[in-house]
């Protein structure tokens, strides 16, 4: 069995002269909850669409559960559950009709799971899809994605447009669904607080390019901020391995380092002789901002 | 399931249109003149061509515009079956909206004639008229795979139909007026419809949503 649920190699998608995704290398381990971070327009949705075979890559390769989504599109879709950003479904269908309609496509459809989720999510089977609130519609989409018992669940900014309370409830639903089975989840979002609750690994993408990928805990341990306070104004030429960003403010100089260690701190102190050096931990939110802002 | 979905999506419009046109033909007095029948035939053609344009332009473009295409495309269904079902259901509805009232009209007249057409030609003429409606549908359907906006597809479909009518219709009408066979036109229309559907299949297979 393949160790990776998703593997892309130099994946590139170009629309005219614009690179939506540029030489993206991703590896998502089987059984992990993978957070795919990026600002709006960073290339998250384009990447996801190539994973599902909805669009063809300009160059590079994509493998989902060991298969090519273009050549083995049907088999990939049998094993992948997908909830799109602002998922639109047929408004005129009733909840029970859209369940029956969707079940017809899957060989592993589990009617008992569908019924169970319907009950838990308080979805009225006789209600029209169009009459459901946005939160309920997203729950319905999640229920449809989970009822085919997918090996891989792809969620493309599923909480976008939801109010904070509905977003929290929806995330609880996802966590609940994840606890039940050890499936791989690929979760794309631009709201960091929600990702930290569910993901164990993240990748940050900006302008189509991968900035960093790794386990959240490891990122938090290795990416640190160091505040150096000097007697006079700080030097302009601060350079050290793994330096992500430098910000100067008066006598202070704030450095963001990607692979922080005590050795590196020692090197900084020795080389630039600051009055004071203070190490600051960064939240995932701050790490994301540092990677995106460092060009 | 795709058949059910297409039927459910279009049935209200189709049944309403069919009810109206068959009701109209049914309620006309049986003693109408040949000229009245001529204008009724023209109205029937225009009515069903309008319906063909609406059904054809709404097939793919409307779903892409409403973002529901992504929902269905992410399901394990072959692309040709998605587009093929759309074409088959909507084509049947368009053709039925034309053929059913024509059959009622013929049955009410109680003669083996359609308007002024002699009995040995009338089936071919009905086939030609039906194929013209099917062509209007097929070409608009093709545009609905190309363009995203339904109104644009309808406009392009009408333009293509007018181009076809401008190029060939006068010859065909002359042949009809002289009660000549129109076999060539049947082949031309069948080929055009098949080509439009084939092009729709190929374009949709490579379409990115």
């Amino acid at each position: 069995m393949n160790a990776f649920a998703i593997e892309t190699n130099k994946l590139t998608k170009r629309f005219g002269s614009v690179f939506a995704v540029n030489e993206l290398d991703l590896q998502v381990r089987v059984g992990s909850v993978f957070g795919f971070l990026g600002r709006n327009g960073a290339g998250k949705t384009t990447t996801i669409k190539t994973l599902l075979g909805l669009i063809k890559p300009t160059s590079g390769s994509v493998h989902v559960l060991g298969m090519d989504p273009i050549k083995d599109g049907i088999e990939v879709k049998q094993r992948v559950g997908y909830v799109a950003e602002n998922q639109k479904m047929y408004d005129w269908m009733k909840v029970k009709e859209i369940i029956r309609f969707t079940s017809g496509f899957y060989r592993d459809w589990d009617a008992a799971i569908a019924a169970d989720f319907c009950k838990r999510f308080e979805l009225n089977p006789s209600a029209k899809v169009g009459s459901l609130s946005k939160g309920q519609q997203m729950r319905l989409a999640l229920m449809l994605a989970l009822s085919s018992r997918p090996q891989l669940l792809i969620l493309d900014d599923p909480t976008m447009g939801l109010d904070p309370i509905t977003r929290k409830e929806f995330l609880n639903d996802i966590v609940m669904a994840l606890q039940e089975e050890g499936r791989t989840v690929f979760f794309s979002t631009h709201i960091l607080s929600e990702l930290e609750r569910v993901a164990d690994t993240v990748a940050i993408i900006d302008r189509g390019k991968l900035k960093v990928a790794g386990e959240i805990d490891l990122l938090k341990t290795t990416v640190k901020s160091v505040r150096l306070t000097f007697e006079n104004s700080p030097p302009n030429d601060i350079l050290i391995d793994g330096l992500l960003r430098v910000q100067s403010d008066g006598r202070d100089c704030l450095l963001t380092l990607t692979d922080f260690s005590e050795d590196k701190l020692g090197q900084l102190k020795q080389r630039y002789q600051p009055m004071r050096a203070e190490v600051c931990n960064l939240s995932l939110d701050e790490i994301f901002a540092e990677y995106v802002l460092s060009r | 399931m795709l058949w059910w979905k297409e039927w459910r999506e279009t049935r209200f419009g189709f049944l309403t249109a069919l009810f109206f046109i068959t009701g109209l033909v049914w309620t006309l007095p049986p003693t109408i003149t040949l000229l009245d029948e001529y204008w009724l035939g023209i109205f029937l053609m225009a009515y069903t061509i309008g319906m063909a344009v609406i059904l054809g332009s709404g097939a793919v473009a409307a779903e892409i515009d409403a973002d529901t295409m992504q929902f269905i495309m992410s399901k394990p269904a072959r692309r040709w079956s998605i587009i093929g079902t759309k074409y088959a259901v909507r084509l049947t509805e368009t053709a039925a909206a034309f053929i059913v009232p024509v059959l009622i009209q013929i049955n009410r007249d109680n003669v083996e004639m359609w308007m002024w057409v002699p009995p040995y030609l009338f089936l071919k003429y009905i086939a030609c008229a039906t194929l013209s409606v099917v062509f209007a549908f097929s070409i608009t359907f093709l545009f609905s795979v190309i363009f995203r906006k339904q109104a644009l597809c309808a406009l392009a479909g009408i333009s293509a139909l007018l181009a076809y009518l401008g190029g060939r219709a006068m010859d065909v009408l002359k042949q009809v007026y002289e009660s000549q066979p129109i076999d060539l036109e049947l082949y031309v229309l069948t080929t055009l419809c098949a080509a439009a559907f084939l092009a729709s299949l190929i374009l949709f297979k490579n379409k990115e949503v």
Side-chain angles (χ1 to χ4, degrees), chain B residues 78-129:
Chain B
R78 299 202 180 278
R79 286 192 175 205
W80 63 260
S81 68
I82 295 173
I83 195 86
T85 313
K86 280 185 176 294
Y87 187 81
V89 171
R90 287 164 190 253
L91 173 76
T92 308
E93 289 174 354
T94 306
F98 183 72
I99 291 169
V100 170
V102 166
L103 291 178
I104 289 172
Q105 192 189 356
I106 292 165
N107 186 49
R108 274 165 48 84
D109 285 358
N110 206 22
V111 286
E112 283 188 0
M113 237 174 122
W114 185 45
M115 294 198 275
W116 68 91
V117 182
Y120 65 95
L121 278 178
F122 113 98
L123 270 179
K124 280 185 180 173
Y125 281 15
I126 286 184
C128 187

Side-chain angles (χ1 to χ4, degrees), chain A residues 52 54 73-80 106, chain B residues 73-76:
Chain A
L52 288 160
L54 297 178
I74 298 290
E75 200 47 45
V76 167
K77 287 169 193 165
Q78 278 287 353
R79 299 187 198 182
V80 175
Y106 294 96
Chain B
M73 297 276 271
S74 66
K75 304 285 169 270

Side-chain angles (χ1 to χ4, degrees), chain A residues 170-238:
Chain A
F170 184 74
L171 277 169
N172 287 339
D173 296 337
I174 292 176
V175 172
M176 188 172 66
L178 296 180
Q179 282 166 346
E180 286 169 8
E181 285 181 61
R183 58 168 62 96
T184 313
V185 180
F186 187 82
F187 189 105
S188 135
T189 186
H190 65 286
I191 301 170
L192 280 294
S193 53
E194 62 188 37
L195 190 81
E196 240 174 323
R197 288 178 57 201
V198 290
D200 47 44
T201 316
V202 289
I204 296 172
I205 182 176
D206 189 48
R207 297 186 179 191
K209 276 200 168 270
L210 184 71
K211 289 278 187 175
V212 67
E215 288 178 18
I216 292 181
D217 292 341
L218 193 67
L219 270 181
K220 282 182 167 179
T221 321
T222 55
V223 182
K224 302 258 186 197
S225 212
V226 179
R227 183 179 294 278
L228 302 176
T229 309
F230 294 90
E231 228 168 1
N232 299 311
S233 56
N236 294 324
D237 56 346
I238 294 182

Side-chain angles (χ1 to χ4, degrees), chain B residues 6-185:
Chain B
E6 266 323 298
W7 164 244
R8 279 292 308 271
E9 206 161 40
T10 53
R11 68 176 180 181
F12 181 74
F14 163 65
L15 290 173
T16 308
L18 187 68
F19 179 77
F20 170 74
I21 197 71
T22 48
L24 182 75
V25 173
W26 190 264
T27 50
L28 283 174
T31 53
I32 58 171
T33 64
L34 204 59
L35 190 66
D36 292 334
E37 281 211 354
Y38 169 79
W39 283 113
L40 179 65
I42 295 289
F43 173 73
L44 192 56
M45 281 286 284
Y47 182 83
T48 40
I49 282 175
M51 188 178 155
V53 167
I54 292 169
L55 279 173
S57 61
V60 179
E63 277 220 42
I64 291 176
D65 201 28
D67 274 345
T68 49
M69 188 54 89
Q70 197 176 303
F71 176 73
I72 199 154
M73 297 276 271
S74 66
K75 304 285 169 270
R78 299 202 180 278
R79 286 192 175 205
W80 63 260
S81 68
I82 295 173
I83 195 86
T85 313
K86 280 185 176 294
Y87 187 81
V89 171
R90 287 164 190 253
L91 173 76
T92 308
E93 289 174 354
T94 306
F98 183 72
I99 291 169
V100 170
V102 166
L103 291 178
I104 289 172
Q105 192 189 356
I106 292 165
N107 186 49
R108 274 165 48 84
D109 285 358
N110 206 22
V111 286
E112 283 188 0
M113 237 174 122
W114 185 45
M115 294 198 275
W116 68 91
V117 182
Y120 65 95
L121 278 178
F122 113 98
L123 270 179
K124 280 185 180 173
Y125 281 15
I126 286 184
C128 187
T130 310
L131 277 172
S132 301
V133 173
V134 170
F135 171 68
F137 167 76
S138 301
I139 198 75
T140 322
F141 186 88
L142 170 62
F143 285 121
S144 90
V145 179
I146 300 170
F147 301 125
R148 201 184 162 93
K149 295 285 170 202
Q150 190 173 357
L152 187 62
C153 303
L155 207 64
I158 292 167
S159 305
L161 185 69
L162 289 175
Y164 162 76
L165 291 175
R168 298 198 62 89
M170 291 317 289
D171 285 348
V172 178
L173 284 176
K174 198 177 161 204
Q175 284 173 299
V176 172
Y177 184 72
E178 290 167 359
S179 294
Q180 289 173 6
I182 47 165
D183 292 8
L184 176 66
E185 206 52 33

